[in-house]
């Protein structure tokens, strides 16, 4: 799915950053193959990263000096909602972005 082809160019930066964070978590913590999907559902854009590990991701209390531990805080700040669905073969970590016009902030780029 191309965001530009669906007139969602304003979501490119936040969606790419959230996808990067979720994929990085899969690489570093799940250490299993993973898949990424992006789909539109009604007034939501949903990104989903499915991996083979059943451990839930945890938000860490990162300090200014830490080089990592802020990924889920970034995800939370950029998307409408996020969560984890446990699966028989691992988990799905998902994040959604509202596509409803009334949820779009005034001015600037949507999502930033």
């Amino acid at each position: 799915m191309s965001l530009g082809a669906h007139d969602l160019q304003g979501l490119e930066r936040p969606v790419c950053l959230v996808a990067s964070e979720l994929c990085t978590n899969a690489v570093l913590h799940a250490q299993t193959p993973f898949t990424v999907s992006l789909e539109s559902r009604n007034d939501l854009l949903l990104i989903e990263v499915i991996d083979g590990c059943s451990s839930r991701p945890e938000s860490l209390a990162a300090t200014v000096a830490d080089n990592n531990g802020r990924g889920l805080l970034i995800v939370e700040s950029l998307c409408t909602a996020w969560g984890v669905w446990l699966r028989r073969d691992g988990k799905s970590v998902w994040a959604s972005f509202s596509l409803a016009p009334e949820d779009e902030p005034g001015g600037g780029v949507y999502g930033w």
Side-chain angles (χ1 to χ4, degrees):
M1 174 179 191
S2 168
L3 295 176
H6 296 277
D7 199 26
L8 299 172
Q9 297 90 327
L11 282 176
E12 287 175 349
R13 285 184 175 181
V15 168
C16 286
L17 185 51
V18 167
S20 174
E21 291 297 335
L22 297 182
C23 290
T24 298
N25 282 351
V27 169
L28 294 177
H29 303 293
Q31 299 181 351
T32 68
F34 63 93
T35 60
V36 180
S37 65
L38 184 64
E39 68 179 279
S40 176
R41 293 184 179 176
N42 300 320
D43 283 342
L44 289 177
L45 181 68
L46 180 71
I47 183 166
E48 186 176 19
V49 176
I50 298 171
D51 64 50
C53 178
S54 61
S55 297
R56 290 180 174 270
E58 295 180 31
S59 291
L60 302 176
T63 67
V64 174
D66 292 333
N67 290 326
N68 57 17
R70 294 178 188 85
L72 291 177
L73 295 174
I74 291 169
V75 169
E76 187 173 318
S77 72
L78 293 175
C79 66
T80 305
W82 75 276
V84 179
W85 293 317
L86 294 180
R87 300 165 43 101
R88 208 176 352 93
D89 58 348
K91 69 178 170 300
S92 164
V93 183
W94 59 270
S96 65
F97 297 83
S98 176
L99 300 178
E102 63 271 11
D103 291 338
E104 186 172 339
V109 177
Y110 181 48
W112 284 103

